[in-house]
Amino acid sequence: MTLPVKNMVFPMVLLRLAEWLVYKLLANSCYRAAMKVKNSGFFFRNSSFRSSHQIPLYPSLNKCNLHGRKSETVACDIQGTLLRSESFFPYFMLVAFEGGSIFRAFFLLLSSPLLLVLDYELKLRVMIFITFCGLRLKDMDSVGRAVLPKFYLENLNVHVYEVLKSAGCRVVFTSVPRLMVEGFLKEYLSVDSVKGTELHAVGSYFTGLVSSSGILVKHKAIKEFLGEKKPDIGIGNSSLLDHLFISLCKEAYVVNKEDEKSSSILAREKYPKPLVFHDGRLAFLPTPLATLAMFIWLPIGILLAIFRLFIGICLPYKIAIFLGTLSGVKLRLKGTDPPRSENGKGVLYVCTHRTLLDPVFLSTSLGKPLTAVTYSLSKMSEILAPIKTVRLTRSRTKDAEAMQRLLSEGDLVVCPEGTTCREPYLLRFSSLFAELADEIVPVAMNTNVSMFYGTTASGLKCLDPIFFLMNPRPSYTIEILGKVPKELTCAGGKSSYEVANYIQRQLATALGFECTNLTRKDKYLMLAGNEGVVDNQDSRIVVNPSN
């Protein structure tokens, strides 16, 4: 008795798939073994003979002349060329963690040992499948716009960037998914065209597969895109495929490992576009080892965050500071608290805004209760807050009345930026606070984290304090500046805008930050696609003209 043909189809497909996978693994393993034998000098016992006969096909990138290139075209890749690191795993991990979930990131981490034995194309397909299968298109768009640019800029190869900047036309060919790099390349590096691997999607979700065109092959793509016209400059790495790619250019240069080591990190002031806003929870580049360390730390971090929350809420200030310091929290206080005003009203503390915990750490460091006003705070944050919090309405008249009443009852903390900013910039200050008090004390606050950011524009804001306290050694620096002289307040004849701008400059100077005219609305429109209003443009820096 024979089985029907249709019942044999599925087993045959599985058999073919297993055969192909075994072939790939064995072929790749043999290739790696051969390369190790070759590199160990088995065929060339005399090392001097070997080195004297290995002449590089193309010159190093540092030999490239940058002058007079404005009318020329440069072609390069982002992986291992524009970016100093050759591995693209950390950027897939960022998409998996920030755009997907912690479980997707964990599965990608589990695949990392398998990736070591796969060839390049199969490795790329596996990372694409795990990262993108079932991922929403809008989540990838959010990560590409708000998360990835920071990490790309920090890993930029300065030499390649300078060559790219010197040319009039810039084209990037890459085998990594185009959606992961196109936004950054066009917005920050003014690249004219980006050709990369296209991903398959059904409706508003990715399937995890590449499109019918397959993984992009650079030397084929450059022929299809430019035809007979050759780019003036081609930049690649030392791989064979890159040699094929740059051989189609008039001038070809290679980024050697020595060049990568000597390439310095691009200074922030030299960024092609200022990085004022970015989003996401991860504060580190998630290489496989760094990601493994994060997952090992997570259970400890969660328990540590709960402990730190408990001592902040339940224990007296001095004991909370002592136990918090023992748990790894660094709290540094500079300056002294000014005496209470003679008119009996409370002091108005005007703070820079780094996390939702700013008022809490100020209250703890001063050892006295404060009241904080906020425009948007989750219900959970209000419940957990160890100090009194009052939600404002965004009605100028009602908010002014509420703040006047609170000042008559005690000391008040305001953050006139209206939202947090991670980078060394201060957003535009609202002038409302300047109309309410003559006893104003500016407070410069700054934080430092190593693993998780305690702020988000598109995630759950109720988890912001938890993520900050999950860091192994989070730090807060608080500098209390002197009271603003009365002649520089509204009582001295200054307008509220002049007072707000003066205090913004004072705080920026104390922190070494730069003043901007950007607002809460600018931040949320860029990072989250909304105006940042919680219910229960252009991100180029604009220096405040009044400063």
Side-chain angles (χ1 to χ4, degrees):
M1 182 177 177
T2 58
L3 290 171
V5 174
K6 63 179 182 180
N7 292 339
M8 295 292 295
V9 172
F10 185 65
M12 287 300 296
V13 169
L14 286 179
L15 184 61
R16 288 290 181 86
L17 182 62
E19 182 183 3
W20 176 79
L21 184 61
V22 170
Y23 168 77
K24 283 284 186 179
L25 290 173
L26 288 176
N28 192 64
S29 300
C30 292
Y31 172 77
R32 284 177 175 273
M35 290 303 295
K36 285 182 180 179
V37 171
K38 174 182 177 294
N39 293 334
S40 66
F42 180 80
F43 296 111
F44 296 99
R45 295 292 182 185
N46 191 330
S47 60
S48 61
F49 175 85
R50 182 175 69 242
S51 60
S52 64
H53 283 70
Q54 287 183 339
I55 302 172
L57 291 176
Y58 299 105
S60 175
L61 184 64
N62 55 26
K63 302 285 178 59
C64 181
N65 183 11
L66 303 182
H67 300 294
R69 300 286 192 178
K70 286 300 180 185
S71 61
E72 297 184 352
T73 300
V74 61
C76 67
D77 193 353
I78 184 170
Q79 182 182 5
T81 306
L82 260 173
L83 299 183
R84 289 180 297 158
S85 61
E86 293 186 8
S87 173
F88 219 74
F89 178 91
Y91 306 102
F92 279 103
M93 180 58 73
L94 285 167
V95 176
F97 187 92
E98 307 289 4
S101 66
I102 193 170
F103 302 106
R104 186 186 294 271
F106 184 66
F107 287 136
L108 184 58
L109 177 64
L110 289 180
S111 74
S112 56
L114 174 65
L115 299 178
L116 295 175
V117 299
L118 299 181
D119 65 14
Y120 177 75
E121 181 177 335
L122 194 55
K123 180 191 305 183
L124 195 56
R125 287 180 181 272
V126 170
M127 288 194 292
I128 288 173
F129 182 79
I130 296 174
T131 303
F132 286 95
C133 183
L135 189 73
R136 295 184 300 180
L137 270 68
K138 69 175 186 178
D139 290 332
M140 176 61 238
D141 177 66
S142 175
V143 173
R145 182 180 64 254
V147 178
L148 292 175
K150 170 188 181 291
F151 294 94
Y152 287 148
L153 285 170
E154 290 177 349
N155 200 23
L156 210 58
N157 187 311
V158 178
H159 295 159
V160 181
Y161 167 65
E162 288 174 348
V163 175
L164 196 72
K165 187 172 65 171
S166 69
C169 181
R170 304 151 191 175
V171 187
V172 170
F173 297 88
T174 182
S175 55
V176 302
R178 175 184 55 81
L179 289 171
M180 289 181 65
V181 298
E182 185 175 40
F184 164 74
L185 291 171
K186 289 190 172 182
E187 186 176 351
Y188 283 85
L189 303 187
S190 301
V191 170
D192 298 281
S193 298
V194 179
K195 299 297 176 183
T197 297
E198 299 295 337
L199 302 181
H200 183 260
V202 175
S204 58
Y205 292 87
F206 292 104
T207 62
L209 305 174
V210 300
S211 66
S212 56
S213 56
I215 300 293
L216 182 133
V217 180
K218 287 180 288 187
H219 64 274
K220 294 180 180 178
I222 195 171
K223 287 182 180 179
E224 294 172 2
F225 182 68
L226 296 174
E228 296 301 319
K229 182 182 177 182
K230 288 187 174 183
D232 298 283
I233 308 170
I235 308 173
N237 56 40
S238 56
S239 70
L240 175 61
L241 288 177
D242 268 32
H243 277 57
L244 290 173
F245 168 63
I246 61 178
S247 68
L248 301 173
C249 305
K250 295 178 183 177
E251 295 180 45
Y253 299 94
V254 171
V255 179
N256 297 315
K257 291 186 177 180
E258 292 74 18
D259 296 332
E260 292 174 6
K261 292 176 182 177
S262 63
S263 175
S264 58
I265 296 174
L266 188 66
R268 178 181 295 278
E269 59 271 14
K270 293 185 178 180
Y271 280 0
K273 179 178 180 180
L275 181 72
V276 181
F277 301 130
H278 61 86
D279 205 10
R281 292 293 190 187
L282 297 183
F284 62 97
L285 186 67
T287 61
L289 284 178
T291 308
L292 177 62
M294 179 198 72
F295 276 104
I296 293 173
W297 172 258
L298 268 179
I300 304 170
I302 292 171
L303 293 175
L304 197 57
I306 294 171
F307 172 74
R308 289 165 174 171
L309 274 176
F310 173 78
I311 62 175
I313 294 171
C314 302
L315 300 181
Y317 297 118
K318 290 185 177 179
I319 299 177
I321 291 175
F322 175 73
L323 293 178
T325 303
L326 286 181
S327 73
V329 179
K330 296 180 181 179
L331 179 59
R332 185 184 180 193
L333 177 64
K334 298 167 66 177
T336 56
D337 189 23
R340 193 178 180 88
S341 59
E342 296 177 358
N343 59 16
K345 292 182 67 175
V347 173
L348 181 63
Y349 295 95
V350 178
C351 302
T352 54
H353 202 8
R354 309 310 280 178
T355 76
L356 292 177
L357 295 171
D358 295 336
V360 175
F361 273 90
L362 179 61
S363 174
T364 303
S365 61
L366 294 179
K368 66 178 183 180
L370 301 173
T371 301
V373 291
T374 177
Y375 283 112
S376 59
L377 193 68
S378 69
K379 204 68 180 174
M380 180 180 290
S381 298
E382 285 185 298
I383 294 171
L384 293 176
I387 63 174
K388 182 180 179 181
T389 59
V390 176
R391 190 189 296 261
L392 299 180
T393 63
R394 298 189 184 277
S395 166
R396 194 175 183 87
T397 305
K398 291 181 180 179
D399 291 344
E401 291 174 357
M403 291 169 72
Q404 285 282 19
R405 175 176 53 80
L406 292 170
L407 275 170
S408 66
E409 297 172 358
D411 298 332
L412 185 64
V413 182
V414 296
C415 299
E417 290 175 276
T419 187
T420 56
C421 183
R422 300 172 177 177
E423 298 302 315
Y425 300 98
L426 292 186
L427 307 186
R428 189 176 72 196
F429 277 25
S430 168
S431 61
L432 176 60
F433 74 89
E435 303 170 6
L436 306 177
D438 302 327
E439 301 285 335
I440 302 174
V441 179
V443 181
M445 307 193 77
N446 200 9
T447 61
N448 185 52
V449 297
S450 58
M451 193 171 286
F452 302 111
Y453 285 116
T455 60
T456 182
S458 54
L460 293 173
K461 295 190 73 63
C462 62
L463 297 179
D464 284 2
I466 304 293
F467 271 101
F468 178 81
L469 295 174
M470 280 170 57
N471 281 286
R473 294 184 67 80
S475 71
Y476 247 98
T477 301
I478 303 172
E479 183 177 358
I480 301 173
L481 309 182
K483 276 187 183 180
V484 177
K486 190 153 288 188
E487 61 271 17
L488 295 176
T489 66
C490 291
K494 299 290 184 181
S495 71
S496 59
Y497 297 101
E498 289 176 314
V499 176
N501 289 333
Y502 168 75
I503 293 175
Q504 185 194 33
R505 287 197 305 271
Q506 250 198 324
L507 292 171
T509 302
L511 292 168
F513 288 3
E514 189 168 353
C515 297
T516 79
N517 205 32
L518 299 171
T519 64
R520 171 192 181 91
K521 183 177 178 180
D522 295 314
K523 170 185 170 179
Y524 279 88
L525 282 175
M526 178 196 167
L527 299 184
N530 58 61
E531 295 186 10
V533 178
V534 179
D535 297 326
N536 241 93
Q537 347 236 45
D538 183 38
S539 65
R540 183 173 293 279
I541 186 169
V542 182
V543 177
N544 192 331
S546 358
N547 287 352

PDB file of all heavy atoms in Angstrom, residues 11 13 19 67 72 78 97 99-100 137 202 208 222 236 277 357 397 423 445 482 528:
ATOM      1  N   PRO A  11       6.837  15.818   4.280  1.00  0.00           N
ATOM      2  CA  PRO A  11       8.108  15.191   4.704  1.00  0.00           C
ATOM      3  C   PRO A  11       9.252  15.459   3.743  1.00  0.00           C
ATOM      4  O   PRO A  11      10.399  15.646   4.160  1.00  0.00           O
ATOM      5  CB  PRO A  11       7.756  13.693   4.760  1.00  0.00           C
ATOM      6  CG  PRO A  11       6.280  13.660   4.951  1.00  0.00           C
ATOM      7  CD  PRO A  11       5.752  14.829   4.201  1.00  0.00           C
ATOM      8  N   VAL A  13       9.670  18.104   1.835  1.00  0.00           N
ATOM      9  CA  VAL A  13      10.106  19.495   2.015  1.00  0.00           C
ATOM     10  C   VAL A  13      11.012  19.608   3.234  1.00  0.00           C
ATOM     11  O   VAL A  13      12.061  20.265   3.202  1.00  0.00           O
ATOM     12  CB  VAL A  13       8.890  20.443   2.154  1.00  0.00           C
ATOM     13  CG1 VAL A  13       9.341  21.840   2.602  1.00  0.00           C
ATOM     14  CG2 VAL A  13       8.146  20.541   0.831  1.00  0.00           C
ATOM     15  N   GLU A  19      18.576  18.899   4.558  1.00  0.00           N
ATOM     16  CA  GLU A  19      19.751  18.626   3.726  1.00  0.00           C
ATOM     17  C   GLU A  19      20.481  19.920   3.376  1.00  0.00           C
ATOM     18  O   GLU A  19      21.698  20.007   3.445  1.00  0.00           O
ATOM     19  CB  GLU A  19      19.302  17.912   2.450  1.00  0.00           C
ATOM     20  CG  GLU A  19      20.457  17.534   1.514  1.00  0.00           C
ATOM     21  CD  GLU A  19      19.952  16.898   0.224  1.00  0.00           C
ATOM     22  OE1 GLU A  19      18.709  16.807   0.048  1.00  0.00           O
ATOM     23  OE2 GLU A  19      20.785  16.516  -0.594  1.00  0.00           O
ATOM     24  N   HIS A  67      39.990  67.036  -1.585  1.00  0.00           N
ATOM     25  CA  HIS A  67      39.794  68.343  -2.216  1.00  0.00           C
ATOM     26  C   HIS A  67      39.223  68.198  -3.625  1.00  0.00           C
ATOM     27  O   HIS A  67      39.575  67.279  -4.369  1.00  0.00           O
ATOM     28  CB  HIS A  67      41.120  69.104  -2.268  1.00  0.00           C
ATOM     29  CG  HIS A  67      41.710  69.358  -0.914  1.00  0.00           C
ATOM     30  ND1 HIS A  67      41.124  70.179   0.022  1.00  0.00           N
ATOM     31  CD2 HIS A  67      42.838  68.865  -0.319  1.00  0.00           C
ATOM     32  CE1 HIS A  67      41.861  70.206   1.110  1.00  0.00           C
ATOM     33  NE2 HIS A  67      42.909  69.402   0.940  1.00  0.00           N
ATOM     34  N   GLU A  72      31.687  65.086  -7.672  1.00  0.00           N
ATOM     35  CA  GLU A  72      31.880  63.646  -7.850  1.00  0.00           C
ATOM     36  C   GLU A  72      30.890  62.827  -7.024  1.00  0.00           C
ATOM     37  O   GLU A  72      30.235  63.338  -6.110  1.00  0.00           O
ATOM     38  CB  GLU A  72      33.317  63.268  -7.486  1.00  0.00           C
ATOM     39  CG  GLU A  72      34.347  63.921  -8.400  1.00  0.00           C
ATOM     40  CD  GLU A  72      35.762  63.487  -8.104  1.00  0.00           C
ATOM     41  OE1 GLU A  72      35.965  62.788  -7.086  1.00  0.00           O
ATOM     42  OE2 GLU A  72      36.659  63.846  -8.876  1.00  0.00           O
ATOM     43  N   ILE A  78      27.294  50.831   4.666  1.00  0.00           N
ATOM     44  CA  ILE A  78      27.259  51.326   6.052  1.00  0.00           C
ATOM     45  C   ILE A  78      27.894  50.301   6.987  1.00  0.00           C
ATOM     46  O   ILE A  78      28.603  50.668   7.917  1.00  0.00           O
ATOM     47  CB  ILE A  78      25.814  51.668   6.493  1.00  0.00           C
ATOM     48  CG1 ILE A  78      25.826  52.284   7.905  1.00  0.00           C
ATOM     49  CG2 ILE A  78      24.890  50.460   6.420  1.00  0.00           C
ATOM     50  CD1 ILE A  78      24.499  52.874   8.336  1.00  0.00           C
ATOM     51  N   PHE A  97      14.512  44.782  20.676  1.00  0.00           N
ATOM     52  CA  PHE A  97      14.193  45.175  22.046  1.00  0.00           C
ATOM     53  C   PHE A  97      13.262  46.391  22.085  1.00  0.00           C
ATOM     54  O   PHE A  97      12.246  46.386  22.782  1.00  0.00           O
ATOM     55  CB  PHE A  97      15.478  45.482  22.812  1.00  0.00           C
ATOM     56  CG  PHE A  97      15.267  45.746  24.280  1.00  0.00           C
ATOM     57  CD1 PHE A  97      15.341  44.711  25.197  1.00  0.00           C
ATOM     58  CD2 PHE A  97      14.996  47.024  24.752  1.00  0.00           C
ATOM     59  CE1 PHE A  97      15.133  44.942  26.557  1.00  0.00           C
ATOM     60  CE2 PHE A  97      14.799  47.277  26.099  1.00  0.00           C
ATOM     61  CZ  PHE A  97      14.869  46.232  27.005  1.00  0.00           C
ATOM     62  N   GLY A  99      11.627  47.962  19.426  1.00  0.00           N
ATOM     63  CA  GLY A  99      10.449  47.906  18.572  1.00  0.00           C
ATOM     64  C   GLY A  99       9.592  46.687  18.826  1.00  0.00           C
ATOM     65  O   GLY A  99       8.387  46.707  18.576  1.00  0.00           O
ATOM     66  N   GLY A 100      10.207  45.617  19.307  1.00  0.00           N
ATOM     67  CA  GLY A 100       9.472  44.385  19.576  1.00  0.00           C
ATOM     68  C   GLY A 100       9.178  44.234  21.051  1.00  0.00           C
ATOM     69  O   GLY A 100       8.317  44.893  21.613  1.00  0.00           O
ATOM     70  N   LEU A 137       4.997  47.641  11.089  1.00  0.00           N
ATOM     71  CA  LEU A 137       5.757  48.587  10.278  1.00  0.00           C
ATOM     72  C   LEU A 137       5.977  49.895  11.021  1.00  0.00           C
ATOM     73  O   LEU A 137       7.056  50.483  10.953  1.00  0.00           O
ATOM     74  CB  LEU A 137       5.035  48.858   8.946  1.00  0.00           C
ATOM     75  CG  LEU A 137       5.385  47.938   7.764  1.00  0.00           C
ATOM     76  CD1 LEU A 137       4.888  46.514   8.026  1.00  0.00           C
ATOM     77  CD2 LEU A 137       4.788  48.461   6.465  1.00  0.00           C
ATOM     78  N   VAL A 202       3.058  41.916   5.052  1.00  0.00           N
ATOM     79  CA  VAL A 202       1.652  41.663   4.733  1.00  0.00           C
ATOM     80  C   VAL A 202       0.827  42.624   5.575  1.00  0.00           C
ATOM     81  O   VAL A 202       0.842  42.558   6.808  1.00  0.00           O
ATOM     82  CB  VAL A 202       1.253  40.204   5.034  1.00  0.00           C
ATOM     83  CG1 VAL A 202      -0.238  40.013   4.813  1.00  0.00           C
ATOM     84  CG2 VAL A 202       2.046  39.241   4.165  1.00  0.00           C
ATOM     85  N   GLY A 208       9.044  38.672   8.328  1.00  0.00           N
ATOM     86  CA  GLY A 208      10.340  38.144   8.737  1.00  0.00           C
ATOM     87  C   GLY A 208      11.137  37.591   7.579  1.00  0.00           C
ATOM     88  O   GLY A 208      12.257  37.103   7.765  1.00  0.00           O
ATOM     89  N   ILE A 222      25.002  47.897  -7.888  1.00  0.00           N
ATOM     90  CA  ILE A 222      25.596  49.125  -8.406  1.00  0.00           C
ATOM     91  C   ILE A 222      25.506  49.161  -9.935  1.00  0.00           C
ATOM     92  O   ILE A 222      25.318  50.226 -10.536  1.00  0.00           O
ATOM     93  CB  ILE A 222      27.060  49.271  -7.919  1.00  0.00           C
ATOM     94  CG1 ILE A 222      27.553  50.704  -8.135  1.00  0.00           C
ATOM     95  CG2 ILE A 222      27.981  48.304  -8.606  1.00  0.00           C
ATOM     96  CD1 ILE A 222      28.905  50.977  -7.494  1.00  0.00           C
ATOM     97  N   GLY A 236      35.166  50.400   0.482  1.00  0.00           N
ATOM     98  CA  GLY A 236      34.739  49.113   1.004  1.00  0.00           C
ATOM     99  C   GLY A 236      35.697  48.607   2.051  1.00  0.00           C
ATOM    100  O   GLY A 236      36.648  49.303   2.438  1.00  0.00           O
ATOM    101  N   PHE A 277      17.186  65.023  20.590  1.00  0.00           N
ATOM    102  CA  PHE A 277      16.192  64.069  21.093  1.00  0.00           C
ATOM    103  C   PHE A 277      16.501  62.659  20.613  1.00  0.00           C
ATOM    104  O   PHE A 277      16.893  62.454  19.459  1.00  0.00           O
ATOM    105  CB  PHE A 277      14.792  64.454  20.605  1.00  0.00           C
ATOM    106  CG  PHE A 277      14.337  65.817  21.025  1.00  0.00           C
ATOM    107  CD1 PHE A 277      13.828  66.708  20.089  1.00  0.00           C
ATOM    108  CD2 PHE A 277      14.415  66.217  22.343  1.00  0.00           C
ATOM    109  CE1 PHE A 277      13.405  67.967  20.465  1.00  0.00           C
ATOM    110  CE2 PHE A 277      13.994  67.479  22.741  1.00  0.00           C
ATOM    111  CZ  PHE A 277      13.483  68.359  21.790  1.00  0.00           C
ATOM    112  N   LEU A 357      12.121  61.649  38.578  1.00  0.00           N
ATOM    113  CA  LEU A 357      12.574  61.610  39.970  1.00  0.00           C
ATOM    114  C   LEU A 357      13.289  62.885  40.409  1.00  0.00           C
ATOM    115  O   LEU A 357      13.761  62.951  41.544  1.00  0.00           O
ATOM    116  CB  LEU A 357      13.505  60.403  40.173  1.00  0.00           C
ATOM    117  CG  LEU A 357      12.856  59.017  39.992  1.00  0.00           C
ATOM    118  CD1 LEU A 357      13.918  57.936  40.010  1.00  0.00           C
ATOM    119  CD2 LEU A 357      11.825  58.774  41.075  1.00  0.00           C
ATOM    120  N   THR A 397      -4.311  80.523  33.424  1.00  0.00           N
ATOM    121  CA  THR A 397      -4.950  81.173  34.579  1.00  0.00           C
ATOM    122  C   THR A 397      -5.122  80.194  35.735  1.00  0.00           C
ATOM    123  O   THR A 397      -4.760  80.488  36.880  1.00  0.00           O
ATOM    124  CB  THR A 397      -6.319  81.750  34.165  1.00  0.00           C
ATOM    125  OG1 THR A 397      -6.146  82.629  33.049  1.00  0.00           O
ATOM    126  CG2 THR A 397      -6.947  82.507  35.321  1.00  0.00           C
ATOM    127  N   GLU A 423      20.032  64.666  26.471  1.00  0.00           N
ATOM    128  CA  GLU A 423      21.282  65.189  25.946  1.00  0.00           C
ATOM    129  C   GLU A 423      21.641  66.531  26.591  1.00  0.00           C
ATOM    130  O   GLU A 423      20.818  67.130  27.289  1.00  0.00           O
ATOM    131  CB  GLU A 423      21.175  65.329  24.421  1.00  0.00           C
ATOM    132  CG  GLU A 423      20.943  64.011  23.701  1.00  0.00           C
ATOM    133  CD  GLU A 423      22.028  62.990  23.979  1.00  0.00           C
ATOM    134  OE1 GLU A 423      23.211  63.351  23.935  1.00  0.00           O
ATOM    135  OE2 GLU A 423      21.697  61.818  24.247  1.00  0.00           O
ATOM    136  N   MET A 445      20.288  70.089  37.677  1.00  0.00           N
ATOM    137  CA  MET A 445      20.236  68.654  37.948  1.00  0.00           C
ATOM    138  C   MET A 445      20.703  67.891  36.715  1.00  0.00           C
ATOM    139  O   MET A 445      20.365  68.239  35.582  1.00  0.00           O
ATOM    140  CB  MET A 445      18.813  68.219  38.314  1.00  0.00           C
ATOM    141  CG  MET A 445      18.202  69.034  39.444  1.00  0.00           C
ATOM    142  SD  MET A 445      16.712  68.299  40.116  1.00  0.00           S
ATOM    143  CE  MET A 445      17.396  66.994  41.112  1.00  0.00           C
ATOM    144  N   GLY A 482      22.562  80.187  43.785  1.00  0.00           N
ATOM    145  CA  GLY A 482      22.029  81.196  44.703  1.00  0.00           C
ATOM    146  C   GLY A 482      20.690  81.739  44.232  1.00  0.00           C
ATOM    147  O   GLY A 482      20.301  81.599  43.069  1.00  0.00           O
ATOM    148  N   ALA A 528       7.506  60.459  19.011  1.00  0.00           N
ATOM    149  CA  ALA A 528       6.310  59.634  19.168  1.00  0.00           C
ATOM    150  C   ALA A 528       5.214  59.951  18.161  1.00  0.00           C
ATOM    151  O   ALA A 528       4.209  59.253  18.115  1.00  0.00           O
ATOM    152  CB  ALA A 528       5.759  59.787  20.597  1.00  0.00           C
TER     153      ALA A 528
END
